[in-house]
């Protein structure tokens, strides 16, 4: 392909790639890429996301680099968007070559972010959940819920799901969408009911405010909480008391302290970086009675992994659109000459 | 257009838009948009660009917002790129709606950046250059040089240009490219010769190092220096002595102190923000003997203005490509269902 052409994965191509690969296979392979990058965490440039907040929501840029490859994601979060038929969260991203600065791939990332978030949830739960965990409660049955269930199934073999949403139609739709995967999904009348018998509790609600999706009395000893929905300043899901009696695992502390559940805690409250658990530098779960929390906010390295994996799938499937995104003069210093020649070519065609 | 479609301006469309508009008209209108945004400078969110440096170059993200519209640009700077037929600088950018977070426009910005840089140079020179300036020296005759000359012509009516480049073929090409605009372009044997009789001196070289393109003895009283090429840490073009006897004007001090010529000066060296001159809050040139410097590094607001102007041109010309960039489920919370329906549609087609 010519130097100036950037492969672009549209929403439609992304869906075709995921369907051709199989959603669960995609999630499993994607989780493997994320794990590889977590294991070499120290090699990455890391920075909290660059956020532009407004009354309606937030627009963020999430860059990172491992010194050879660079990526960034554009992502918005606008809770009111659903009112006029828009997505609460949409995203796109770019993978680029550090040596030349040239983009290697551009992609929609609304679907890809849902997949990488779910893959990261299951990857961390696989390490942190109590032994023999076989039931997951999913509280919040919106856009992320099916991806969560399928990731827990794909990576951990979990089949039993207990679902709750303030909107019962969301739960019904989630269960209908999951038909055919051999899962045992139960609609529950309340969050209190949903967590009964679950060793893993996933919270994935979308409200932009301090909410208490889980209160202290709902949390039994030994559970693993996968807290996904609290992911920006002023948006949390867990009662502070739960945090105080749990071991908390995070992606990148400087970002999580701003955006995660731990924004409710003192700035120096001890947390463990998940990559250190993976590499054996820090302990994960140390007892069956311990409560573990993965305070997930979504970090740039997970998007990097997702784009890196996608690039492989794009090469395998050929499902992309060539985008004329970079100026490509015959002589790199002659940008204006390229414009002149384009003008001459237009006149020729018109003549 | 459907909510999920983002208009994309490719390199080819950009060239067509510029040619249809006319390069000089484009530069004049673009400068007017930049001026409007400089005049309401205080309304913008401002942050130094987010840079990922490597041995070979830099990849940067440049976001800004006026509270209603958001933009960011991706831009790289890799001086060694020309060796294998790549551009030293390439860029693309996005304009988005703050209220929804949805992108409004995506565009190539290699050509657009060259245009906005030149438009900003001429806009600032128009305000800061000595009265009656009729000759511009352009030192460095690479990709930015023709745009500079045309902007000075379009905005200030300047016809006399004295050109110098370490590579004489670059100067010859620049002069050939500018034929037909009624300009008097002279190739000069040295930088010392080029500045003779010029009231405005533009430096637009590309080396990534501390260079001395202009030494102190070359600079007569009363000139305006438009210093464009020094634009990242470790890359400057002007002898420090020149800076010390000049009045220095900048875009956004926190960024210019890192990237501009003034990285050679103390952190508290007095500089004037150009927007304050435009709005009458600070003095511009106060005497015919004063040396003025516009220490141009390129700020996100200029890209914002450029994308805002481009959006108008795109609406007028229809020259864009619709990009399927945002997931658009019938029901915003049903992202997974959209994937399922895409699968069902595929089976239908296959059946």
């Amino acid at each position: 392909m010519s130097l100036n052409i950037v492969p672009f994965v549209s929403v439609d191509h992304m869906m075709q790639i995921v369907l051709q690969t199989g959603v669960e296979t995609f999630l499993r392979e994607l989780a493997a890429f994320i794990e590889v990058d977590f294991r070499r965490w120290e090699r990455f440039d890391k920075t909290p996301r660059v956020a532009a907040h407004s009354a309606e929501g937030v627009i963020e840029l999430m860059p990172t680099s491992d010194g050879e490859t660079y990526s960034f994601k554009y992502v918005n979060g606008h809770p009111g968007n659903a009112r006029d038929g828009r997505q609460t969260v949409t995203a796109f991203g770019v993978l680029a070559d550090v040596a030349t600065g040239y983009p290697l791939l551009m992609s929609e990332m609304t679907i890809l972010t849902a997949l990488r978030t779910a893959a990261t949830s299951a990857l961390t739960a696989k390490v942190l959940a109590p032994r023999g965990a076989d039931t997951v409660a999913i509280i919040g049955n919106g856009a992320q819920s099916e991806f969560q269930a399928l990731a827990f199934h794909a990576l951990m073999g979990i089949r039993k799901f207990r679902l709750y949403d303030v909107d019962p139609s969301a739960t019904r739709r989630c269960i209908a969408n999951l038909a055919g995967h051999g899962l045992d999904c139960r609609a529950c009348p309340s969050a209190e009911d949903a967590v009964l018998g679950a060793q893993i509790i996933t919270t994935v609600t979308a409200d932009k405010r301090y909410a208490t999706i889980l209160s202290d009395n709902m949390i039994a000893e030994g559970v693993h909480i996968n807290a996904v929905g609290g992911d920006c300043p002023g948006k949390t899901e867990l009662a502070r008391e739960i945090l105080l009696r749990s071991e908390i695992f995070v992606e990148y502390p400087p970002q999580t302290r701003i955006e995660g559940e731990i924004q409710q805690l003192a700035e120096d409250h001890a947390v463990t970086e998940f990559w250190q658990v993976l590499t054996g530098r820090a302990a994960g779960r140390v007892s069956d009675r311990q409560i573990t929390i993965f305070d997930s906010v979504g970090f740039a390295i997970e998007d990097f992994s997702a784009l890196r994996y996608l690039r492989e799938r794009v090469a395998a499937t050929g499902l992309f659109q060539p985008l004329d995104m970079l100026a490509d003069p015959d002589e790199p210093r002659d940008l204006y000459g390229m414009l002149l020649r384009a003008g001459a070519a237009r006149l020729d065609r018109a003549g």
Side-chain angles (χ1 to χ4, degrees), chain A:
Chain A
M1 201 150 45
S2 169
L3 286 179
N4 64 317
I5 297 299
V6 179
F8 168 63
V9 179
S10 67
V11 173
D12 190 58
H13 277 146
M14 180 66 76
M15 293 196 291
Q16 289 185 50
I17 290 170
V18 174
L19 290 165
Q20 276 194 21
T21 309
V23 187
E24 294 199 36
T25 303
F26 193 104
L27 284 162
R28 232 178 348 251
E29 293 180 351
L30 170 54
F33 270 69
I34 294 171
E35 181 169 350
V36 164
D37 289 335
F38 267 84
R39 285 182 183 276
R40 57 194 193 106
W41 193 259
E42 288 164 296
R43 290 190 45 190
F44 285 86
D45 283 344
K46 289 173 281 289
T47 174
R49 56 182 110 201
V50 183
H53 292 279
S54 63
E56 298 89 355
V58 63
I59 298 176
E60 301 171 326
L61 298 175
M62 301 169 67
T64 193
S65 162
D66 69 356
E68 288 178 15
T69 310
Y70 168 97
S71 75
F72 82 86
K73 181 168 81 169
Y74 170 108
V75 57
N76 77 299
H78 285 72
N81 266 5
R83 281 195 300 271
D84 53 356
R86 289 184 170 84
Q87 287 284 113
T88 302
V89 175
T90 68
F92 64 90
V94 168
L95 199 69
D97 178 25
V98 167
T100 63
Y102 270 43
L104 300 167
L105 176 72
M106 182 162 89
S107 178
E108 88 79 36
M109 289 189 77
T110 308
I111 297 167
L112 191 59
T113 297
L115 288 157
R116 76 91 160 113
T117 301
T120 305
S121 287
L123 172 66
T124 48
K126 195 173 171 180
V127 173
L128 297 172
R131 279 170 296 184
D134 66 356
T135 303
V136 173
I138 300 183
I139 300 176
N141 302 154
Q144 172 64 205
S145 57
E146 296 95 339
F147 296 99
Q148 286 280 330
L150 293 174
F152 283 115
H153 185 233
L155 272 84
M156 299 178 70
I158 286 173
R159 295 181 181 277
K160 287 198 270 186
F161 295 91
R162 300 178 62 80
L163 309 175
Y164 171 72
D165 196 289
V166 286
D167 173 8
S169 73
T171 306
R172 282 195 296 274
R173 189 182 49 227
C174 177
I175 291 175
N177 281 342
L178 289 171
H181 285 270
L183 308 182
D184 169 9
C185 295
R186 177 163 313 191
C188 300
S190 66
E192 287 76 3
D193 188 87
V195 302
L196 294 174
Q199 301 86 14
I200 300 174
I201 302 170
T202 288
T203 54
V204 274
T205 63
D207 257 355
K208 187 180 180 177
R209 61 187 173 94
Y210 296 108
T212 305
I213 308 302
L214 297 181
S215 56
D216 193 34
N217 63 336
M218 290 164 66
I219 304 303
E221 283 183 347
V223 302
H224 172 66
I225 301 173
N226 175 46
V228 175
D231 60 358
C232 70
K235 180 167 184 288
T236 59
E237 295 179 313
L238 272 53
R240 185 165 180 274
E241 294 71 27
I242 301 174
L243 302 177
L244 293 175
R245 62 190 179 103
S246 303
E247 191 67 34
I248 301 168
F249 299 85
V250 303
E251 290 141 316
Y252 179 60
Q255 180 176 306
T256 313
R257 290 195 193 278
I258 297 169
E259 302 172 0
E261 296 299 328
I262 59 171
Q263 65 186 278
Q264 304 179 66
L265 302 182
E267 275 183 35
D268 59 351
H269 188 96
V271 298
T272 304
E273 297 183 55
F274 181 69
W275 73 270
Q276 297 201 321
V277 178
L278 268 185
T279 54
R281 302 208 195 175
R285 168 177 292 274
V286 293
S287 90
D288 286 345
R289 300 180 59 178
Q290 193 179 32
I291 301 168
T292 52
I293 297 178
F294 176 53
D295 188 359
S296 166
V297 295
F299 189 60
I301 295 177
E302 294 148 28
D303 300 312
F304 176 97
S305 313
L307 287 168
R308 207 164 58 76
Y309 170 57
L310 179 64
R311 191 164 178 237
E312 260 200 23
R313 298 307 308 153
V314 165
T317 60
L319 291 166
F320 69 90
Q321 183 177 338
L323 222 55
D324 170 28
M325 199 156 117
L326 303 177
D328 185 31
D330 319 327
E331 155 57 71
R333 293 184 79 198
D334 194 15
L335 191 60
Y336 186 74
M338 180 178 71
L339 190 64
L340 282 186
R341 287 185 288 279
R346 259 180 85 217
L347 287 176
D348 280 354
R349 284 197 302 272

